[in-house]
Structures are given as structure tokens and as C-alpha cells.
Amino acid sequence: PLFDIGEASCGVLCPHYGNIRLFSPCSGLSQESGSVEQISLHCAEGSLEWLYPAGALRLSLSPRLPTSTAAEGKSPRQVTTCIKPSSTFRGAQIYLERNGILELLLSEADASLRPRVHCFSWQPQEKVALFLQSTLHQDISRRIAAFRYELRGDWNSRLSLTSSNLSMEGACRPCNDTEILMAICTSDFVIRGNIRTVSNDVEMQESIISISAMRIHRQKFTLFQPVSKSSKSTGSIHTLLQCGVKPGPGSFLFTGWLHFGEAWLSCAPRYKDFRRIYEDAHQAHENPCEVSLD
């Protein structure tokens, strides 16, 4: 199985099982005051609900990561964990427990604002857990602490973290030839297309690129789909506002990763440049994988 439940019998939802809830939600009504329920999370991604929070939950992070490095028998150099609270997150706050030291990750007051993604990275040998501490309220009947999480070991070296969103130090620089070739092989989506529009979300510090797809080489889920039978597939890709993306002519090869159901940009060379890079590598027998060219 992809998950283990410790002493608690809680609603850990793993999308690998077709979004079927395998356990009843955690409920503070069954916990003694001051008790700590122990849960081990082995899903690479999922969600958790804690009804009427009381006491505390300790979620140890022990993901079985579906990564290329794992397939090669190697451990990832670091694991990235992200959590996204629900819009109705109430009754608890979340701490990061790293080697026995607690650090506040999400307060109840922060969660009551616009839900933001919070990320952190850690070494596989570190002992890491999420510690959910209930907050005191006279009426807990309307309080549910729910969030989604992702545990990933395959985000490449271009990915680093900010306090609120997936971000990258140097993410705005163009990918080099090696990064482009690896992105083609390992990304969640590989789409050849044109930029239709770019809209900016200043509050979230994101740009949303609207794409008209000319060819879908790969997509992990249906990110791009036609509006009608006669139309081209369209979809949106997120990137950082600081990258200053603007609409431009010509076709690009867009690659990237899924992050809480949204497409995030990794490498996006012009298609003519990708063809040159790919064909040169093919002649030198240095392609990490095969791609069908137009």
C-alpha cells in the first residue's frame, strides 16, 4: 500500500486510489485532551481532514516517491513538501517538526486569509513531521482543519522555495541544452504551442500563460483539452511574476510540473531551438529519451 495509519484511523485521501476515502475523517471528539495521535504519510500526495480539532496530530513524512531516481535505485538529494490549506481551515495551526524542533508553518490566522501554499525541503536522512496543534475555542462544532499536501523528490535543481509558493532561484533564466533534454523526458507535461495571453496576479506573485496547443507530446493529467471538436487544445501554465513573461510570436515547447493540480513552467525553448538541440544530441547519441518530431 501507499500509506500506513498509525494509532489514528483518519481520513487520509490518496488520489492513487481513485479518490476513494479509505478511513473516516480524524475527529477530535474521540481524542482525549492533550493527546497526540500518530499518523505516517507514505502517499506522495493526498489530503487530510481533522474534524472538531482537539489535542494534536503528528504526521510523520515517509514518502515512497515515484521518481526517476527511485527507479534507478538512488535516493533523491532532497525532498520537497508543500501544503495547501482549505479555504475553510479552522481550529488548528501547523508546525514543522525537524529533528525534534518545532517551527510554526501555518497559523490559524494566516489560514483564514486567502489560502497560500507553504513549502519546505529536507534531506531524506532527516526526521521530519507535520505537527497539528488544536487551538482553544469554546465552540469547536464548526471547525475543520483540512489541507492538501505533496511530497516530491523529482523537482529538479531549478526548483527552490519561497515562503508562500513554489519558486525557483534562477528559475527565470533560460534552460541550458542539458536541462531542456532532461525536461522533455521527465516533466509532467510537454506541449508544443503558442502563447495566447499572459495575465498577472500581483497578490499571488504569479503569471498565468494561456496556451494554444499545436501538439501534446505528454500530459500526466488532462491539462490541455479542446473547447470543441474542431478547435485546438487550450490550457494555462503558471510561472513567477518576477520572470516578466510576455506574449510573443512563434511556437514554443512548454515543459513543467503539476503543483496542486496546476501546471507550472520549467523549460520553454522556442520550438526551432529545441529541434536543433535535439537533433544535435541525437547525432551524438546523447539523447536521454526519444521524442517524435513534427
Side-chain angles (χ1 to χ4, degrees):
L2 294 177
F3 60 93
D4 290 335
I5 299 296
E7 298 175 7
S9 181
C10 297
V12 179
L13 183 62
C14 295
H16 308 286
Y17 285 84
N19 289 336
I20 298 175
R21 187 174 300 285
L22 300 172
F23 297 89
S24 59
C26 307
S27 174
L29 297 179
S30 62
Q31 288 184 236
E32 295 182 7
S33 177
S35 67
V36 179
E37 298 272 9
Q38 300 282 345
I39 303 174
S40 294
L41 298 183
H42 290 314
C43 295
E45 58 183 286
S47 60
L48 182 137
E49 288 185 356
W50 189 15
L51 308 180
Y52 326 123
L57 297 180
R58 185 179 183 275
L59 315 176
S60 62
L61 306 182
S62 304
R64 298 188 180 106
L65 299 171
T67 67
S68 57
T69 53
E72 297 169 1
K74 301 177 182 178
S75 297
R77 287 177 294 179
Q78 69 175 18
V79 179
T80 299
T81 303
C82 293
I83 63 172
K84 184 176 183 179
S86 68
S87 59
T88 57
F89 187 100
R90 299 290 187 277
Q93 46 196 19
I94 303 177
Y95 293 85
L96 168 62
E97 179 187 322
R98 191 196 303 265
N99 296 326
I101 300 175
L102 292 179
E103 173 189 342
L104 182 61
L105 194 64
L106 175 68
S107 70
E108 185 177 23
D110 289 339
S112 65
L113 303 174
R114 183 174 180 178
R116 292 180 179 273
V117 175
H118 295 259
C119 300
F120 58 92
S121 58
W122 46 284
Q123 304 299 319
Q125 65 271 20
E126 290 185 289
K127 294 183 178 180
V128 177
L130 293 175
F131 193 86
L132 278 69
Q133 177 66 56
S134 62
T135 52
L136 294 176
H137 295 280
Q138 290 185 342
D139 179 14
I140 64 172
S141 62
R142 296 182 179 273
R143 305 194 183 275
I144 301 175
F147 65 89
R148 296 168 61 188
Y149 68 89
E150 293 180 344
L151 307 172
R152 298 287 294 266
D154 55 355
W155 283 327
N156 62 23
S157 60
R158 289 169 61 81
L159 300 177
S160 59
L161 304 167
T162 64
S163 60
S164 61
N165 270 315
L166 194 67
S167 178
M168 279 106 253
E169 182 179 351
C172 298
R173 68 168 174 82
C175 293
N176 60 37
D177 293 359
T178 301
E179 289 170 335
I180 289 172
L181 292 173
M182 287 305 300
I184 301 304
C185 303
T186 61
S187 295
D188 289 339
F189 62 88
V190 180
I191 308 289
R192 181 187 176 188
N194 300 322
I195 299 176
R196 301 171 63 201
T197 60
V198 177
S199 59
N200 296 320
D201 187 329
V202 176
E203 182 180 356
M204 297 298 291
Q205 289 294 294
E206 297 174 8
S207 292
I208 298 93
I209 310 167
S210 177
I211 306 296
S212 176
M214 301 171 63
R215 179 168 183 177
I216 299 174
H217 292 273
R218 180 170 69 254
Q219 57 178 341
K220 191 172 182 179
F221 297 104
T222 308
L223 300 169
F224 293 79
Q225 53 187 342
V227 178
S228 63
K229 292 183 179 180
S230 60
S231 64
K232 292 182 178 180
S233 296
T234 59
S236 297
I237 301 175
H238 295 244
T239 190
L240 301 179
L241 180 64
Q242 69 192 49
C243 293
V245 175
K246 293 181 173 59
S251 63
F252 297 81
L253 196 68
F254 299 96
T255 68
W257 308 91
L258 285 180
H259 184 47
F260 291 112
E262 297 175 339
W264 277 80
L265 186 65
S266 176
C267 298
R270 289 188 177 275
Y271 187 73
K272 63 179 183 180
D273 294 332
F274 160 71
R275 285 198 61 139
R276 172 184 54 79
I277 294 167
Y278 181 84
E279 290 170 352
D280 289 347
H282 184 73
Q283 292 180 2
H285 303 286
E286 296 177 349
N287 276 344
C289 66
E290 297 291 326
V291 177
S292 177
L293 300 178
D294 295 339

